[in-house]
Amino acid sequence: MSLTGYIVLSIIWWGLFWYFIFYLRYEHKDTINQLRSNLKEANKEIQYLNWELDEYTQQNTLLKQKTMELLDRNDELSDVVAELSKYYVHIKKASEKTSELNKFLQEPSDVIEEKIKKFSQKTDEDISNDKIFF
């Protein structure tokens, strides 16, 4: 065989080889096309999930920041409530004392009545005699 015969034989052999590969591929064409479409859909789903992940990450960061602000405000409000409860205790004690004083003022006292009678029974002369300067 000559060199051209070997070249023609190798071209035929490679042609048959590639035809065999094409035939095998053509035989599983539906499966390959299905796998390619599944790959495209999976890539789209991954892109969508990555976008959602980025958005949820940003929302999570914002929520953490707002939560920290609210916790700080809560601490401040707790301090205010503690101060107000102290004032409430003092006001309640004052109210109890006021009601106790009011109860005492409602009932006449014998000691006070005697002192008032002593002053009301003095005459003008007694009052002038009580005023001795020298």
Side-chain angles (χ1 to χ4, degrees):
M1 272 197 155
S2 70
L3 184 61
T4 56
Y6 284 120
I7 292 174
V8 171
L9 186 62
S10 73
I11 289 174
I12 290 173
W13 188 82
W14 281 108
L16 287 175
F17 177 72
W18 287 109
Y19 179 76
F20 179 70
I21 291 174
F22 174 75
Y23 179 75
L24 290 177
R25 185 183 180 284
Y26 183 76
E27 184 181 349
H28 300 289
K29 176 181 80 169
D30 295 334
T31 306
I32 292 172
N33 287 337
Q34 183 67 31
L35 290 173
R36 283 183 180 162
S37 67
N38 288 345
L39 179 64
K40 286 180 184 177
E41 288 178 21
N43 284 335
K44 286 180 183 178
E45 186 71 23
I46 288 172
Q47 287 176 351
Y48 176 73
L49 290 175
N50 282 334
W51 178 78
E52 278 191 341
L53 177 66
D54 291 340
E55 184 163 340
Y56 288 146
T57 304
Q58 291 173 357
Q59 288 178 358
N60 192 20
T61 304
L62 182 64
L63 285 174
K64 283 182 181 179
Q65 180 184 8
K66 293 295 183 183
T67 303
M68 293 304 293
E69 289 175 9
L70 288 175
L71 286 174
D72 291 340
R73 284 185 185 171
N74 190 23
D75 290 341
E76 292 172 2
L77 288 175
S78 296
D79 293 341
V80 169
V81 168
E83 284 294 320
L84 288 175
S85 65
K86 288 178 188 176
Y87 290 127
Y88 175 75
V89 168
H90 290 298
I91 290 172
K92 185 152 177 113
K93 287 181 183 177
S95 172
E96 290 172 358
K97 294 290 182 180
T98 305
S99 64
E100 186 179 328
L101 181 63
N102 200 11
K103 186 173 71 173
F104 284 135
L105 291 176
Q106 295 294 329
E107 299 172 1
S109 172
D110 296 334
V111 175
I112 294 174
E113 283 184 16
E114 287 177 17
K115 288 182 179 179
I116 290 175
K117 283 182 183 177
K118 188 173 19 172
F119 283 115
S120 64
Q121 290 175 358
K122 284 188 177 181
T123 60
D124 289 336
E125 292 178 11
D126 293 335
I127 293 174
S128 62
N129 288 339
D130 287 341
K131 295 181 183 178
I132 299 175
F133 293 108
F134 299 104

